Amino acid sequence: MAMGTELLIASTLAGLNIVLLGALTFVWARNYRTFRTNTILGLIAFGAVMAVENAVALYFFFTMQMFYGSDPTVQGAVAVLRALQFVALVFLTWVTVK
């Protein structure tokens, strides 16, 4: 079964989200070594958990397409949610790196 356009978009965005979360977590880990605050430790945990969530989503996109493939509305909703997460992570990465 071929992956639909929406799932391809969602998969690409999940991969980009993992890259952004990796960059954020790297910066936060570097800052934690300097400042040792619980807030930064919480950000590291946030980045790690969100990266795992996106990796699991990618796994499901590629191995269980039948769950998403039967309804175009579901595919569209999944793509929109990944896009919203991507936009949020772009802003967070921008303010963190700046």
Side-chain angles (χ1 to χ4, degrees):
M1 177 180 195
M3 184 178 283
T5 304
E6 291 89 355
L7 285 183
L8 184 60
I9 291 168
S11 298
T12 302
L13 289 171
L16 290 171
N17 289 343
I18 291 170
V19 170
L20 289 174
L21 287 161
L24 284 167
T25 303
F26 175 79
V27 171
W28 293 331
R30 191 180 60 203
N31 287 343
Y32 182 74
R33 284 192 296 270
T34 303
F35 301 109
R36 300 273 184 202
T37 66
N38 288 338
T39 302
I40 297 174
L41 195 58
L43 290 170
I44 293 168
F46 168 80
V49 169
M50 289 298 293
V52 168
E53 186 272 335
N54 277 278
V56 169
L58 273 177
Y59 171 78
F60 280 113
F61 292 155
F62 286 109
T63 62
M64 300 188 181
Q65 293 176 23
M66 68 215 148
F67 289 133
Y68 301 106
S70 62
D71 188 358
T73 304
V74 172
Q75 291 181 11
V78 168
V80 167
L81 291 174
R82 290 289 156 202
L84 289 172
Q85 186 180 58
F86 177 72
V87 170
L89 289 173
V90 166
F91 283 123
L92 186 57
T93 303
W94 180 68
V95 298
T96 299
V97 173
K98 193 171 179 156

